[in-house]
Amino acid sequence: METGKKTSFSLILPVRNCRDVIEEVLRAALTATRRWGNAEIIVVDHESTDGTSEFLLQQWLDSVRVYSFRGKTVAAVRNFGASLATSKFLCFIDGDCLVDEDFLVRANEILTKNRVAALTCAYVPPKPAHWIEQAWHVLHFRNQAGTANSFYGGNLIIRTDIFRALGGFNPGLVSGEDTELAARLIAKGQKIFFDPELCVVHLRNPKSVRQFFRRQLWHGLGMLGRSKGARFSRTLTLSLGQLTMLVAAFLLLFIPVGSMTQRLMFAFLLTLPIPAAAVTYRFWSVRRVRWPFRCFFLYYVYFLARALAIIKYFLRTNKR
């Protein structure tokens, strides 16, 4: 790190139809940058249709740098924002996430102590939180700081020179661009550090089963579009396994053995092992067990969405 000079940060916020939360998000980001001092805020509006762009241009030009960008993926939007940055570190924060006032102060302390290429943490739900937010958070939030093998694109601090040397996020990916970039960074011998003290509050988590399913379907579409080195991830392997079980369960219904009730029961049982194994692994990873039935249900929906994503991906690919 620099000596005698504060580390500089560029906060990059991609936004799209965030009018309901963007003022709160920007006020929090502005407080954090003023608390630290040597930081800038770059907001990139991605084709908003709810008045977000107009609000930014009318109310925030004196405090943040505002740009418009027309692109196909959030990866392309983030890359555009990064190309405008002038700081040593890029800090990617999603347009629906809140940072606290000491966010950059803590980030600098962690980076100074660990000297890593990238720093990340998970999102935390707002209070009060919906049961879906609570259960999913319990399953995935680590309490221990340490080296990580991936990061989150909506809460990521990374050295600008390394980000640019890697070519940034892959703009061809619908989703999963953060996981893919992390894989490339590690392949180059760089390290990622995870610290639970560097949380951001995610304001717009799914708050219904339908929203949760659609979010996982969207994330799933990025699984198969990643670079070759990340293609056969654990998530993809399990999703392919669940798809196989779903197909087998469907075919079982047409085998004339036993009653239809028995076949329905066995078909349903076929689809349970992978979600059950995933939940068990998550409980073991985070060293806590809460709301097991809720968590199992969410992972069941999760793998349904991921299986459908695989089908949609191959249907799209075959049409090209």
Side-chain angles (χ1 to χ4, degrees), residues 231-250:
R231 186 171 293 276
F232 294 103
S233 66
R234 180 170 57 228
T235 299
L236 176 55
T237 301
L238 291 174
S239 299
L240 286 169
Q242 186 67 4
L243 177 59
T244 302
M245 292 299 100
L246 289 168
V247 172
F250 177 76

mmCIF file of all heavy atoms in Angstrom, residues 231-250:
data_model
loop_
_atom_site.group_PDB
_atom_site.id
_atom_site.type_symbol
_atom_site.label_atom_id
_atom_site.label_comp_id
_atom_site.label_asym_id
_atom_site.label_seq_id
_atom_site.Cartn_x
_atom_site.Cartn_y
_atom_site.Cartn_z
ATOM 1 N N ARG A 231 -16.081 -24.189 -16.064
ATOM 2 C CA ARG A 231 -17.294 -24.765 -16.631
ATOM 3 C C ARG A 231 -17.906 -25.840 -15.737
ATOM 4 O O ARG A 231 -19.116 -25.899 -15.575
ATOM 5 C CB ARG A 231 -16.987 -25.341 -18.012
ATOM 6 C CG ARG A 231 -18.230 -25.832 -18.747
ATOM 7 C CD ARG A 231 -17.903 -26.174 -20.180
ATOM 8 N NE ARG A 231 -17.544 -24.989 -20.931
ATOM 9 C CZ ARG A 231 -18.429 -24.169 -21.488
ATOM 10 N NH1 ARG A 231 -19.706 -24.378 -21.330
ATOM 11 N NH2 ARG A 231 -18.032 -23.122 -22.176
ATOM 12 N N PHE A 232 -17.090 -26.728 -15.184
ATOM 13 C CA PHE A 232 -17.642 -27.823 -14.404
ATOM 14 C C PHE A 232 -17.489 -27.535 -12.906
ATOM 15 O O PHE A 232 -16.741 -28.188 -12.214
ATOM 16 C CB PHE A 232 -16.975 -29.137 -14.798
ATOM 17 C CG PHE A 232 -17.306 -29.537 -16.205
ATOM 18 C CD1 PHE A 232 -16.392 -29.356 -17.226
ATOM 19 C CD2 PHE A 232 -18.553 -30.061 -16.507
ATOM 20 C CE1 PHE A 232 -16.704 -29.711 -18.523
ATOM 21 C CE2 PHE A 232 -18.876 -30.415 -17.813
ATOM 22 C CZ PHE A 232 -17.951 -30.240 -18.818
ATOM 23 N N SER A 233 -18.218 -26.545 -12.448
ATOM 24 C CA SER A 233 -18.214 -26.195 -11.036
ATOM 25 C C SER A 233 -19.082 -27.178 -10.262
ATOM 26 O O SER A 233 -19.850 -27.950 -10.839
ATOM 27 C CB SER A 233 -18.758 -24.775 -10.857
ATOM 28 O OG SER A 233 -20.129 -24.733 -11.231
ATOM 29 N N ARG A 234 -18.958 -27.117 -8.948
ATOM 30 C CA ARG A 234 -19.785 -27.978 -8.114
ATOM 31 C C ARG A 234 -21.264 -27.674 -8.310
ATOM 32 O O ARG A 234 -22.104 -28.577 -8.378
ATOM 33 C CB ARG A 234 -19.390 -27.823 -6.645
ATOM 34 C CG ARG A 234 -20.212 -28.690 -5.698
ATOM 35 C CD ARG A 234 -19.629 -28.685 -4.296
ATOM 36 N NE ARG A 234 -19.524 -27.339 -3.775
ATOM 37 C CZ ARG A 234 -18.437 -26.836 -3.201
ATOM 38 N NH1 ARG A 234 -17.360 -27.570 -3.085
ATOM 39 N NH2 ARG A 234 -18.412 -25.597 -2.741
ATOM 40 N N THR A 235 -21.601 -26.390 -8.398
ATOM 41 C CA THR A 235 -23.000 -26.005 -8.594
ATOM 42 C C THR A 235 -23.548 -26.558 -9.894
ATOM 43 O O THR A 235 -24.671 -27.088 -9.940
ATOM 44 C CB THR A 235 -23.132 -24.470 -8.584
ATOM 45 O OG1 THR A 235 -22.695 -23.964 -7.324
ATOM 46 C CG2 THR A 235 -24.573 -24.056 -8.816
ATOM 47 N N LEU A 236 -22.764 -26.454 -10.956
ATOM 48 C CA LEU A 236 -23.221 -26.971 -12.244
ATOM 49 C C LEU A 236 -23.368 -28.488 -12.204
ATOM 50 O O LEU A 236 -24.340 -29.045 -12.728
ATOM 51 C CB LEU A 236 -22.241 -26.562 -13.344
ATOM 52 C CG LEU A 236 -22.536 -27.123 -14.746
ATOM 53 C CD1 LEU A 236 -23.949 -26.764 -15.196
ATOM 54 C CD2 LEU A 236 -21.502 -26.605 -15.741
ATOM 55 N N THR A 237 -22.421 -29.157 -11.574
ATOM 56 C CA THR A 237 -22.490 -30.616 -11.480
ATOM 57 C C THR A 237 -23.747 -31.054 -10.743
ATOM 58 O O THR A 237 -24.472 -31.960 -11.177
ATOM 59 C CB THR A 237 -21.243 -31.165 -10.763
ATOM 60 O OG1 THR A 237 -20.074 -30.775 -11.489
ATOM 61 C CG2 THR A 237 -21.294 -32.684 -10.671
ATOM 62 N N LEU A 238 -24.048 -30.408 -9.615
ATOM 63 C CA LEU A 238 -25.244 -30.744 -8.855
ATOM 64 C C LEU A 238 -26.512 -30.394 -9.637
ATOM 65 O O LEU A 238 -27.507 -31.121 -9.573
ATOM 66 C CB LEU A 238 -25.238 -30.015 -7.515
ATOM 67 C CG LEU A 238 -24.190 -30.480 -6.503
ATOM 68 C CD1 LEU A 238 -24.198 -29.586 -5.278
ATOM 69 C CD2 LEU A 238 -24.420 -31.933 -6.105
ATOM 70 N N SER A 239 -26.479 -29.297 -10.365
ATOM 71 C CA SER A 239 -27.649 -28.900 -11.156
ATOM 72 C C SER A 239 -27.914 -29.903 -12.274
ATOM 73 O O SER A 239 -29.069 -30.245 -12.558
ATOM 74 C CB SER A 239 -27.438 -27.501 -11.738
ATOM 75 O OG SER A 239 -27.277 -26.546 -10.711
ATOM 76 N N LEU A 240 -26.859 -30.389 -12.907
ATOM 77 C CA LEU A 240 -27.021 -31.428 -13.922
ATOM 78 C C LEU A 240 -27.565 -32.713 -13.299
ATOM 79 O O LEU A 240 -28.406 -33.406 -13.887
ATOM 80 C CB LEU A 240 -25.681 -31.700 -14.605
ATOM 81 C CG LEU A 240 -25.195 -30.632 -15.592
ATOM 82 C CD1 LEU A 240 -23.743 -30.884 -15.978
ATOM 83 C CD2 LEU A 240 -26.077 -30.626 -16.851
ATOM 84 N N GLY A 241 -27.092 -33.009 -12.087
ATOM 85 C CA GLY A 241 -27.596 -34.180 -11.383
ATOM 86 C C GLY A 241 -29.071 -34.046 -11.060
ATOM 87 O O GLY A 241 -29.849 -35.001 -11.214
ATOM 88 N N GLN A 242 -29.486 -32.860 -10.623
ATOM 89 C CA GLN A 242 -30.896 -32.650 -10.314
ATOM 90 C C GLN A 242 -31.757 -32.728 -11.570
ATOM 91 O O GLN A 242 -32.870 -33.270 -11.542
ATOM 92 C CB GLN A 242 -31.085 -31.296 -9.633
ATOM 93 C CG GLN A 242 -32.497 -31.027 -9.137
ATOM 94 C CD GLN A 242 -32.903 -31.949 -7.994
ATOM 95 O OE1 GLN A 242 -32.114 -32.751 -7.519
ATOM 96 N NE2 GLN A 242 -34.144 -31.822 -7.557
ATOM 97 N N LEU A 243 -31.233 -32.202 -12.679
ATOM 98 C CA LEU A 243 -31.964 -32.301 -13.944
ATOM 99 C C LEU A 243 -32.156 -33.763 -14.327
ATOM 100 O O LEU A 243 -33.244 -34.171 -14.775
ATOM 101 C CB LEU A 243 -31.206 -31.555 -15.042
ATOM 102 C CG LEU A 243 -31.814 -31.637 -16.458
ATOM 103 C CD1 LEU A 243 -33.241 -31.086 -16.475
ATOM 104 C CD2 LEU A 243 -30.933 -30.887 -17.448
ATOM 105 N N THR A 244 -31.127 -34.565 -14.141
ATOM 106 C CA THR A 244 -31.222 -36.000 -14.431
ATOM 107 C C THR A 244 -32.278 -36.659 -13.553
ATOM 108 O O THR A 244 -33.083 -37.476 -14.024
ATOM 109 C CB THR A 244 -29.857 -36.677 -14.199
ATOM 110 O OG1 THR A 244 -28.873 -36.048 -15.021
ATOM 111 C CG2 THR A 244 -29.928 -38.159 -14.526
ATOM 112 N N MET A 245 -32.299 -36.304 -12.270
ATOM 113 C CA MET A 245 -33.288 -36.872 -11.352
ATOM 114 C C MET A 245 -34.709 -36.448 -11.721
ATOM 115 O O MET A 245 -35.656 -37.238 -11.625
ATOM 116 C CB MET A 245 -32.981 -36.439 -9.918
ATOM 117 C CG MET A 245 -31.700 -37.018 -9.331
ATOM 118 S SD MET A 245 -31.705 -38.844 -9.225
ATOM 119 C CE MET A 245 -30.735 -39.271 -10.687
ATOM 120 N N LEU A 246 -34.877 -35.225 -12.154
ATOM 121 C CA LEU A 246 -36.200 -34.740 -12.555
ATOM 122 C C LEU A 246 -36.698 -35.463 -13.797
ATOM 123 O O LEU A 246 -37.885 -35.828 -13.898
ATOM 124 C CB LEU A 246 -36.147 -33.231 -12.808
ATOM 125 C CG LEU A 246 -35.981 -32.347 -11.570
ATOM 126 C CD1 LEU A 246 -35.646 -30.918 -11.976
ATOM 127 C CD2 LEU A 246 -37.252 -32.365 -10.723
ATOM 128 N N VAL A 247 -35.796 -35.676 -14.747
ATOM 129 C CA VAL A 247 -36.171 -36.418 -15.952
ATOM 130 C C VAL A 247 -36.537 -37.853 -15.602
ATOM 131 O O VAL A 247 -37.534 -38.401 -16.080
ATOM 132 C CB VAL A 247 -35.031 -36.379 -16.991
ATOM 133 C CG1 VAL A 247 -35.335 -37.315 -18.162
ATOM 134 C CG2 VAL A 247 -34.825 -34.959 -17.499
ATOM 135 N N ALA A 248 -35.729 -38.479 -14.738
ATOM 136 C CA ALA A 248 -36.006 -39.854 -14.317
ATOM 137 C C ALA A 248 -37.337 -39.941 -13.582
ATOM 138 O O ALA A 248 -38.117 -40.892 -13.764
ATOM 139 C CB ALA A 248 -34.876 -40.365 -13.431
ATOM 140 N N ALA A 249 -37.614 -38.949 -12.733
ATOM 141 C CA ALA A 249 -38.879 -38.926 -11.998
ATOM 142 C C ALA A 249 -40.061 -38.806 -12.947
ATOM 143 O O ALA A 249 -41.099 -39.463 -12.773
ATOM 144 C CB ALA A 249 -38.877 -37.768 -11.005
ATOM 145 N N PHE A 250 -39.910 -37.986 -13.965
ATOM 146 C CA PHE A 250 -40.984 -37.819 -14.951
ATOM 147 C C PHE A 250 -41.228 -39.113 -15.722
ATOM 148 O O PHE A 250 -42.376 -39.541 -15.918
ATOM 149 C CB PHE A 250 -40.618 -36.689 -15.914
ATOM 150 C CG PHE A 250 -41.621 -36.478 -17.013
ATOM 151 C CD1 PHE A 250 -42.827 -35.843 -16.766
ATOM 152 C CD2 PHE A 250 -41.355 -36.923 -18.312
ATOM 153 C CE1 PHE A 250 -43.755 -35.659 -17.782
ATOM 154 C CE2 PHE A 250 -42.266 -36.744 -19.324
ATOM 155 C CZ PHE A 250 -43.473 -36.102 -19.064
#
